[in-house]
Amino acid sequence: MAYDFKTIISQFEIDGELVSCERYGEGHINETYLAVTEKGGVKTDYILQKINSKLFTNVPALMNNIRQVTEFNREKIKARGGNPDRESLSLVYTKGGETFYHCASCDGYFRVYKFITDAIAYQVVEKPEHFYQSAVAFGNFANLLAEFDASGLYEVIPDFHNTEKRFRDFEASLKADKLNRAKDIKKEIDFILSRKDYCGRIVNLLRSGKMPTKVTHNDTKLNNVMLDAKTGEYVAVIDLDTIMPGSICYDFGDSIRFGCNPAAEDEKDLSKVNFDLNLFDVYAKGYLSALGDGATKIEKDNLAFGAILMTYECGMRFLADYLDGDVYFRTHREGHNLDRARTQFKLIEDMEKLLPEMEKIVQKY
Ligand code: ADP
Ligand code: GN1
Ligand code: MG
């Protein structure tokens, strides 16, 4: 669908006139555009996003979370002499001071971010050093959130990483089997069903209070952190839609799920999908060093398992979406969600064999 980008972007406090607006990045949820404006021969890049309002049903509350977290980050960065426009995700407000614009004619919710310049969001780990940098970025981000007053945060998607709930949702999708796809994916379905025991482990620790509930990012993929294009050092953590109460095991686990696989998340050739224990070591080292004493024993004891759990949960979500007819994650080809689920299952099989070694690595740091 084409939108009237000129009108939309002109609602925001931007410099100049819009000269181009193209789809950008590889997120699965929002529609992201690179919007370029020009004033007196000077061009400025912005990130324009059409928020997925089917999923984020309360856009004002979502955006209020993002405002709180980004303003908090910006102050912290300023205080230490950094450049907040580059080191934090930063909102460009509307001319009326709002965090988003609702386009009545297209019923779209739009937001604008300052473009983080000279930085890259990688889709796969190209150099171990990059992965290390992303670990330090997310570890530091966890420390920052620990200082943040979370009482004003709205829980954007309740039960986001409640794997027991995700399992029930999966069962419901299987039962409905809207497109009659279940008959052809028996192996994948059995893979999920036979591992039901995984679901309760972390939610029960959180429920009983044995593991602390913390404010976490909840979507710590490598492509949600920007690394400096020249030095490879981390610049900023982005994609703050899912900041909510959770466990650091989820954040650690989701980074591992995405980054310890040298192939893409949707690779069709499963012989290329392997869990890389060296990359696990690299990430554990970076994350735990940045976290410092910010992790309890019970958290550390469950970090490695968190990687299996997040991969299992994500695989289950991809497969449920395949059964539902691909309505949640953006797909670009036939069977895309099924391919994504299969890579997750391959990684789980690898990790199940390597778990004792993964745990040893965590203990080492
Ligand atoms: P989604 O929720 O759909 O994943 P993201 O907020 O992660 O959307 O944005 C998608 C991609 O757009 C990112 O992976 C990154 O490449 C790019 N991106 C997002 N925000 C910025 C920004 N402020 N500066 C530069 N690039 C960005
Ligand atoms: C989605 O938005 P994006 O692409 O960074 C999803 C995550 C999944 C991920 C799988 C809000 O992340 O939970 O782990 O895809 N985000 C949401 O790649 O559901
Ligand atoms: Mg993203």
Side-chain angles (χ1 to χ4, degrees), residues 24-30 32 47 49 89 111 113-116 121 123 223-224 226 238-239 241 330:
Y24 192 76
E26 296 191 33
H28 295 336
I29 300 298
N30 297 298
T32 303
I47 287 289
Q49 276 182 334
L89 193 62
R111 66 184 168 206
Y113 289 121
K114 294 186 182 174
F115 191 84
I116 298 171
Q123 301 306 323
N223 67 8
N224 285 331
M226 307 293 303
I238 60 167
D239 201 346
D241 289 327
R330 182 173 304 111

Side-chain angles (χ1 to χ4, degrees), residues 123-138:
Q123 301 306 323
V124 289
V125 174
E126 292 176 8
K127 289 184 188 163
E129 175 59 16
H130 288 167
F131 199 38
Y132 180 82
Q133 286 294 324
S134 76
V136 177
F138 283 122

Side-chain angles (χ1 to χ4, degrees), residues 36-64:
V36 184
T37 63
E38 192 178 327
K39 186 181 178 184
V42 179
K43 286 191 172 165
T44 311
D45 293 340
Y46 294 95
I47 287 289
L48 170 70
Q49 276 182 334
K50 179 169 182 283
I51 301 165
N52 183 334
S53 54
K54 211 163 80 182
L55 167 60
F56 302 118
T57 48
N58 189 343
V59 174
L62 164 78
M63 292 309 295
N64 190 37

